[in-house]
Amino acid sequence: MGRVAVDGRVPPWVRSWFVPVVLALAACATPIERIEDRATALGFQSMRLAGAGFHHLAFVAGLPQHSQTLHVYVEHDGTPWANRSRVAPDPTPRMPVALELMARDAGPRLFLGRPCYFGSAGEPRCTPLMWTHRRYSAEVVHSMAAALRGFLSAHRYDRVVLIGYSGGGTVAWLMASEIPETVEVVTIAANLDTDYWSALHGYSPLAGSLNPALQPVLAPEVEQIHYAGGRDRNVPPTVAGSFVRRHPKASVIVIADFDHQCCWIEQWPRLLDQQRPAPDLERRPPA
């Protein structure tokens, strides 16, 4: 049976994590310009990777290193809709949370951009469907996996840990079965049961997307840790609970005082070290 842990230990200052980040990104520039400027400031090297019919912006850090493990970060859905009825012309996130998580990691790591994001919305195959209803589609996942396999062919790593925030966690989980080197999937506030999540908010179903909750289980040797915020109204813990009922070997950790944004970035080094639910965390069945 899947495990759900609850950790309520949150320092009172962590809710201010976003202030310096937002200020750093506040210049009058396009989202991709702000992200590239931020990546440069963090010392990341940029590159373009070819996927399956799409091109992917990527940032790397910690290369080369003696570690045989590569951490791969996948960003959230950004702004697929300008409002509830109008599609955004560019889905690139205004606040790149996964990029900031990667900055607080160490060792070899890769930020892998999603198709049609980060300056690629004008590519021939990039229609608005690719960042709205088909944002988790097979072609998106295949292209992400192809881009990562291309990177791995040039940079030999025996072990891959896929890490994704929000919708990026959904993409990361779907990629795992296509990357043989995957040893672990870590998601943060991810909508892992997209049907449940869409119905919860009254959204139209994501027709053409894959729902992780309905996919075959991952190989038993792939560790799964899925973090959820107890105060998250966008992706409440019940979404992970619905997922884990169909994927009982996955572990869900609910952190009581976190919401969808607070306080993943500030606490990411501690969560990375944790890896497994700590012995003193309370466990309960999924809601």
Side-chain angles (χ1 to χ4, degrees), residues 9 39 47 53 87 96 128 136 156 160 164 183 190 197 199 201 204 211 251 277:
R9 299 170 297 174
M47 61 176 61
V87 176
Y136 314 129
R156 299 291 182 179
V160 168
V183 295
W197 175 77
H201 291 290
S204 57
N211 182 359
S251 295

Side-chain angles (χ1 to χ4, degrees), residues 163-233:
I163 303 168
Y165 169 71
S166 193
T170 303
V171 174
W173 190 94
L174 291 166
M175 291 172 59
S177 62
E178 298 194 24
I179 305 297
E181 295 86 352
T182 302
V183 295
E184 187 173 15
V185 180
V186 182
T187 71
I188 304 102
N191 52 341
L192 294 167
D193 186 340
T194 57
D195 292 342
Y196 179 96
W197 175 77
S198 296
L200 182 70
H201 291 290
Y203 299 154
S204 57
L206 296 179
S209 282
L210 301 173
N211 182 359
L214 302 181
Q215 300 306 303
V217 297
L218 296 181
E221 60 268 21
V222 177
E223 182 74 18
Q224 296 185 61
I225 300 178
H226 304 297
Y227 290 102
R231 297 182 177 178
D232 191 341
R233 295 184 178 180

Side-chain angles (χ1 to χ4, degrees), residues 24-39 93-95 99:
L25 298 174
C28 294
T30 65
I32 181 57
E33 289 172 338
R34 292 197 296 268
I35 288 171
E36 288 179 331
D37 288 347
R38 178 60 176 158
R94 275 52 177 170
M95 174 60 197
L99 190 74

Side-chain angles (χ1 to χ4, degrees), residues 31 43 47 77 127 135 144 146 169 199 233 245 249-250 268 277 284:
M47 61 176 61
D77 293 346
T127 68
R135 69 186 81 168
M144 293 285 288
R233 295 184 178 180
R245 280 194 288 272
K249 292 189 179 297
W268 187 233
R284 57 179 172 82

